[in-house]
Amino acid sequence: MIRFAGDSGDGMQVTGGRFTIETALAGNDLTTFPDYPAEIRAPAGTTFGVSAFQIHFGAVDVMTPGDEVDVLVAMNPAALKVDLRDLRLGGTLVVDTGAFTERNLAKAGFPANPLADGSLARYQVLKLDITKLTLEAVKPFGLTTRDAHRCRNMWALGLMLWMYGREREVTIDWLKQKFARRPEIAEANVAALNAGHAFGETAEMSEYGSGYTVRRAPVTPGVYRTVSGTEALAWGLLAGMRGAGLERMLFAGYPITPASLLLHTLADLSRYGVTTFQAEDEIAAIGAAIGAAYAGAIGVTSTSGPGMALKTEMLGLAIATELPLVVVNSQRAGPSTGMPTKAEQSDLFQAVHGRNADAPLAVLAAATATDCFEVAMEAVRLATKYMTPVVLLSDAFLAHAAEPWRIPDPDELPRFPVRFRTDPAGFHPFLRDPTTLARPWAPPGTPGLEHRIGGLEKDYDTGHISYDPENHARMTRTRAAKIAGIANDIPLQSVALGADPGALAVVGWGSTYGAIHQAVRRAREEGVDASHVHLRYLNPFPRNLGDLLKRFDRVLVPELNAGQLVHLLRAAYLVPAESLSKVEGKPFKVSEILEAIRGARAP
Amino acid sequence: MIRFAGDSGDGMQVTGGRFTIETALAGNDLTTFPDYPAEIRAPAGTTFGVSAFQIHFGAVDVMTPGDEVDVLVAMNPAALKVDLRDLRLGGTLVVDTGAFTERNLAKAGFPANPLADGSLARYQVLKLDITKLTLEAVKPFGLTTRDAHRCRNMWALGLMLWMYGREREVTIDWLKQKFARRPEIAEANVAALNAGHAFGETAEMSEYGSGYTVRRAPVTPGVYRTVSGTEALAWGLLAGMRGAGLERMLFAGYPITPASLLLHTLADLSRYGVTTFQAEDEIAAIGAAIGAAYAGAIGVTSTSGPGMALKTEMLGLAIATELPLVVVNSQRAGPSTGMPTKAEQSDLFQAVHGRNADAPLAVLAAATATDCFEVAMEAVRLATKYMTPVVLLSDAFLAHAAEPWRIPDPDELPRFPVRFRTDPAGFHPFLRDPTTLARPWAPPGTPGLEHRIGGLEKDYDTGHISYDPENHARMTRTRAAKIAGIANDIPLQSVALGADPGALAVVGWGSTYGAIHQAVRRAREEGVDASHVHLRYLNPFPRNLGDLLKRFDRVLVPELNAGQLVHLLRAAYLVPAESLSKVEGKPFKVSEILEAIRGARAP
Amino acid sequence: MTVTTITDTELQPKDFASDQEVRWCPGCGDYAILKAVYKALAELGARRERTVFVSGIGCAARFPYYMSTYGFHTIHGRAPAIATGIKLANPELDVWVMTGDGDGLSIGGNHMLHVLRRNVDLQIVLFNNEIYGLTKGQYSPTSRRGTKSPSTPRGSVDYPVSACAFALGAGARFVARSVDTLQPHLVGVLRRAHAHRGASFVEVFQNCVVFNDGAFDAFTLREGAADTQLHVEHGKPLMFGAGKNRGLRLKPGKLELEVVTVDEAGVTLDDLLVHDETNRALAALLVSLEPPAFPVALGVIYCNPAPSFEAEVYTQIQAAGAARTGQGAPDLAELLRSDEGTWTVS
Amino acid sequence: MTVTTITDTELQPKDFASDQEVRWCPGCGDYAILKAVYKALAELGARRERTVFVSGIGCAARFPYYMSTYGFHTIHGRAPAIATGIKLANPELDVWVMTGDGDGLSIGGNHMLHVLRRNVDLQIVLFNNEIYGLTKGQYSPTSRRGTKSPSTPRGSVDYPVSACAFALGAGARFVARSVDTLQPHLVGVLRRAHAHRGASFVEVFQNCVVFNDGAFDAFTLREGAADTQLHVEHGKPLMFGAGKNRGLRLKPGKLELEVVTVDEAGVTLDDLLVHDETNRALAALLVSLEPPAFPVALGVIYCNPAPSFEAEVYTQIQAAGAARTGQGAPDLAELLRSDEGTWTVS
Ligand SMILES: Cc1ncc(C[n+]2csc(CCOP(=O)(O)OP(=O)(O)O)c2C)c(N)n1
Ligand SMILES: Cc1ncc(C[n+]2csc(CCOP(=O)(O)OP(=O)(O)O)c2C)c(N)n1
Ligand code: SF4
Ligand code: SF4
Ligand SMILES: [Mg+2]
Ligand SMILES: [Mg+2]
């Protein structure tokens, strides 16, 4: 695993992105994870300003950004300060000595120069004056020092591509096209890239040889690209809209980290039938989405913890009026403002229980960047088929994580056309479909179906306001039955890896998929009888889940929260599930789960 | 049990109130329940305009408003229409024939006059032209017809007081004092009261004799009064403020049914150190309460379902900043606007789980009108001692229900003085008390303790902002441990009635206390081995609760929701607790619980 | 739920009434407003199936239940947000927002600000009874200082907000005022509001007979109305009074209005200010007039149209080369192809 | 957390700085505002222990961390509500609300409306950079039409709200404006705001170098400032310009301002409007002035004091016969005795 780390201005994200593509092209399976500085732009050279990009790749499916870094490229002292802790002992450290100036060392808070004081003895350190080497390489193109300096990342990329025996063509084309309007910049970057690569070839570097080259991973044929969780989510929502045969999606949001990315991504897609609306707050955002749903579009809103809290009352209205709505929650560390840029899975309770009164809705969670595409489509399907709000749980990690993705052929995508009500005969707005229990969707504009809906309780048989006691009981039961019924319309829970029945079921949900999967695989390699069960449907649960779990001696539930799914499973099935909790704003390490598995295995 | 029912304008609440006092004076134990029309004032004479007041009394402690009515006083056709359904077969029905005019019958939606069409055959019907009799009785005082008409309720009261052999003196004094400025009105009302009473004495009524007189109930000596749940809550909060030795309470609210009553009650008590503030919405209300808590007062806010939803984000802030706050939720039927005047217990999930992130707080529930006083004091104690928001769950029923109450001697009330931090030495705002884990309360104005707090995660050791992973885990654990630790500072869970261990534990919380208690008592009289366990502490649970429940073969959990406490108990203790759910916006009937107990008993 | 089938014949006021029994207190001003809306809709030939009434919570907010059009009784204070979503999903719909002084200016003030500033094409009718009616009489943000209510037993101490001053400050482009009891006037104002493309803000002084009876008697009572009401009309001098001879002018050199009498102290008609609907400063001065010193300004006080929000949104989307509908839009395949490059595995 | 111990000697600006490293982008206008606040506090002899800075969320809202006073970094948009609670609990405290254009006017618009109308005694400083800085550059309610941002790639279409026009419409009694880079002017405005009892609203044009650099260059650049800035002073004629000879007057007979040059076309000094802080209509006209046609009005535009909310609340409570404190108040026993009657069981 490689990590590129430098100052926000050093272009580490681009460098990582390019390395990713070249690696994917080389047929390796991989996952990547960018690590941006916290919300506020920090002074250059400081530790708050460090930006990093990490790629984990190998022969067979890789699902985590990995635990320990094999090669760390540190473009300045601050980056070294922040990221060294993750470099494995004996790992390779590439540093740009040119950036280790007094000033930068001070800014990073190094009392002495670590390159000099022997504190790096436990690593293989490559001290290269990348700055100087780059400036020389690009001299011919007469750039400003600033622009020339900006080519450092390409030099570093070139070196890394050489180390792992990767190609450069695609990147070179991309550079040319990207700087089409400023050819000298393009040329300079290409030159830096080549220089870095050439440098690798030179004698001094031979000992690192191409020992790093990694075997190809077997992959299904098709056209591939890398996709981030946010992109996959955005496109999945669009694909869902298409699948439902709807004309329009209204995506209403209010900026909040890490959810804003989805708003930005969809704002660019208006040509595809999505209207984006930046509302004055999260309440107005979900309100507009509900209004749009009432008017016959699919309403979507997206936010994170604090914003989710503000949507609580409106969710109640959507449940009471039974309108199709998708609410995406990119979970972050809390409570309150917490740690806005850090990932957590702690909004599950809120999604399932967090409203006044008995107010059930459907809850789904995406497991990987590419899974976001399918889960988003499924959310639209359930929302429109059951006339209900659906909460889709993502998190700060999935929002940024990227993976290679086989681009689906639009014709192979599912279709679940909505039928708007048009027939006035016998119509009332809460007349239910006998199987789904969904009410009819009759948008304004439909002649003869004029009707009124609202948050007050309604009569089961007429849809009028009703305070009748028995009726309220009946409506409450029906709302619950409708959501519970979704269990008959979703796949039975399967085991992702391992035996069933078995000794230990490791049950997860959301972005912990990769870490759990790797841990279970390694445990099995060690001969531990462990199986991986990963939930996409958190409310309702798949109808076989209880029986499935009861076929295991023990159930371990790793979560990035204080123990929420484990609580829901215990209540639902009375299984003595145990919690493996991590609340550090970071993904699980495979080793952490593996240890717990070993521990749980012991009787 | 008696119910007075009439038009909103007929003064049924006053009538009931007076009957209550006279009954209490006669030494009977009782509970009352007013049933107001829904929020909007409806046209006079219509069924939406019916106002009723019900008194249930007997020899030994009575805790429910009772199931079936023995005597129904119907002052007009609409009242008959609405309330007859609750009159037991063979019960006594007193009607004012004078009000059964064509117009009123039509307004009430009677095709034919029920007094004439024999549809009331199954009841003992007393047809009295109360209107005419009243007008005659008050003629001497030369009132306007409107005022004269207004005396009808006193006539009916007189009759009922006679029926149950009650005194009139206190009521007569009260009337004189109430209408001190308009003696003719006072006289007329007294005359009507006496006329009704006298009428009872006359021959035609003899068959109803004083057979209704009820034995005295044994009660602890002391000075008594009737108190509603809302009054008890208001005074309990004040008593809590006194107990904590605080100078001031800021009560910030936004009107909402049925919570507004508390705002109204406290608005009158400014002389006692409470400042009330009607905010622009529920968010601002809890915001102001948090600001006040930060500034060294006890902050209190009160609302109902939809308003509670809006407070979600602010609750997160209060948890993150660890400020003492009491949030009263008068639960009503939902979801969304639902049935605003109807009671439900469906906000328990929201109180315990309804926030983003791992955000624990303390949750208490009041069981009876008088219990509101103690629970309110306890809420203030826990909030100030543990520096945490406390959610106090009440409901639409408790808000209105009234009971006789032994007025406590202020000196016997608990004291739990707050110690504000004043010493700068070693201070930081998240320095914790080793036993309670509470942080210091250092209000602005204290020299040398200037500090900054906020919603971002803080360093455990300095209180500064921190994004450190391990620190976040530690803070999350600590916040949870602090709330969990409250379990060591509250009474062990006791059994309210019945054996321990036993065959069946009937576990309740909140306003269902009376119905469950009666049902368990009757079941035990039938020889069923059932016990009543009633929870005041819903988070954390008393530390012996798990063991206690495991000592019973079965656990039945009656709730006015779709099954929320039962879920929490199953998750916490893996006990196969069963739910008895009622969601009709009405209290349980004793019979409903009794049946369930009989059923649960059967193996 | 009634099924109303469309007839091609003109709809009468009564055709806009739903089958639901109207449940306001007898004598409530809301009845009159309901009547005026029926009349206005009939007069402007509204289609029931294309008309939507959106409300929050409150007595006023029960309004949609009494209409035979589409209706959405939402939650407290949020109607403008939901109405915005409706317009964004289907700009063809004719959307009305019915709100109260608490619903629209207390809990809902922020959405009101933004829907006005964005200029979403809606008719917003604010029933101002200066009280919280539905929750039984607490004071509201428009209640005058000293209002005694269940939550302010000794009288309120905060300064009320002026609905129209707020709307103007928020950037509203249509601000008008009327009174529940002034039927023809109210109908006219509602028609003007409907004709205006963009957010039309209409404040209606509405009498709450139960909790705030007579709050507006100072200028709404028939007798004396001529002297207490100033009916503004674009291009006409600002005149009022039984004698039709009193008017408003700028205090010489000052930015203040004063009441003058024509043909007294040398005042001529030409001295009077002429109403200019498009002048925001004049509008601000007019809405601030209060009895007894001044008459209350009624009618269309400000009207200065500009393109509406949802119209601009779709103009931009079309400009971005969108097909009319999501289904007709370019194929997803094109979108899924990456600008960062794809690769093929075979 | 630093423990700052009180000295009786005068506090210097630096004494108001906390030990926390300031983390705004290099060159951010927020630094200048922070400096001005330090200076203003020192000049008016503020006590650290009695001063509280309350903020919501945003770059601007990080402000309290950089103060050595008490501080509360609350949640997005809600600072005015929390500040109101602080004042109601302890009116003696000197409370500042630091907010941004998104925090104060987007999500927080409703609380801003009500805190202004209630006239709670606070200094409210709104850092207007016409952008959402903290969340990386989305447009805000004060962004001009056509603003390209991550959420509006083709430019925003909604009409911005004017912070000061909104404040005036909300009933604010103190409205002032300054610029981050105008140090002495800003310090002066902050001192006036502090002197005003009641809600003081101060809009500061603040440059976000990263996401909206140069947004205010049209009138904030040194060169030409004399012609693009109108520094208003109560009682002084509204004049500006390099030549100190240009001014504002009312278009004859109209409610509109026009720029005139003294001693040109017969214009004399007396024709110019004289600034009257207490005239709301004038204030509304002044805040609406925009370059290039007009200069931007800076300084104390409106100041018209009235008793503040928390003061009135306590006056009323005392009138109700309250003891100074809850503990000193009448005995509960008295309260618990019922007006409906009690009875004794022995
Ligand atoms: C979130 C929420 N808070 C409070 C309420 C209670 N509530 C309903 S209507 C209302 C105010 C009504 O006043 P107004 O808007 O003036 O309407 P009116 O009844 O006077 O016509 C309030 C506080 C509610 N339904 N929802
Ligand atoms: C409830 C909630 N919604 C959204 C956010 C994300 N957020 C933080 S600051 C901000 C806007 C900041 O803009 P502004 O108030 O203008 O401050 P600036 O950063 O420009 O100084 C937003 C949307 C949040 N923290 N909380
Ligand atoms: S309470 Fe007032 S506003 Fe509401 S219906 Fe009755 S009279 Fe009308
Ligand atoms: S993002 Fe803009 S406002 Fe925020 S700190 Fe940077 S420059 Fe300042
Ligand atoms: Mg009102
Ligand atoms: Mg900003």
Side-chain angles (χ1 to χ4, degrees), chain A residues 39-41 254 264 278 280, chain D residues 23 25 76 106 139 151:
Chain A
E39 291 185 345
I40 291 202
R41 288 282 194 98
Y254 183 69
H264 303 168
Q278 179 177 310
E280 57 269 31
Chain D
R23 294 206 198 151
C25 304
H76 197 32
S106 188
Y139 83 121
S151 55

Side-chain angles (χ1 to χ4, degrees), chain A residues 37-44 48 254-257 260 263-264 267-268 270 276 278-282 310 336-337, chain D residues 21 23-26 57 59 62 74-76 78 102 106-107 132 134-136 138-140 150-151 153-154 210-211:
Chain A
E39 291 185 345
I40 291 202
R41 288 282 194 98
F48 331 113
Y254 183 69
I256 185 168
T257 304
S260 311
L263 169 62
H264 303 168
D268 253 340
S270 52
T276 53
Q278 179 177 310
E280 57 269 31
D281 64 17
E282 287 85 352
L310 285 169
S336 195
T337 313
Chain D
E21 173 161 14
R23 294 206 198 151
W24 287 307
C25 304
I57 303 285
C59 296
R62 311 280 297 206
T74 70
I75 53 180
H76 197 32
R78 316 299 176 185
S106 188
I107 193 170
Y132 287 175
L134 188 65
T135 48
K136 300 203 188 304
Q138 301 85 1
Y139 83 121
S140 97
S151 55
R154 293 178 195 76
V210 174
F211 298 111

Side-chain angles (χ1 to χ4, degrees), chain D residues 59-60 99-103 127-134 138 140 142 206 208:
Chain D
C59 296
T99 185
D101 44 314
D103 190 58
F127 298 35
N128 185 7
N129 55 14
E130 295 186 358
I131 209 77
Y132 287 175
L134 188 65
Q138 301 85 1
S140 97
T142 59
Q206 172 247 328
C208 170

Side-chain angles (χ1 to χ4, degrees), chain B residues 366-378:
Chain B
T368 65
T370 53
D371 191 42
C372 287
F373 184 78
E374 292 187 6
V375 174
M377 279 191 299
E378 178 69 345

Side-chain angles (χ1 to χ4, degrees), chain C residues 58-60 99-103 126-134 138-143 206 208 212:
Chain C
C59 295
T99 185
D101 44 313
D103 190 59
L126 187 136
F127 297 36
N128 185 6
N129 54 14
E130 294 186 0
I131 209 76
Y132 288 174
L134 188 66
Q138 300 85 1
Y139 84 121
S140 97
T142 58
S143 301
Q206 172 247 327
C208 169
N212 206 18

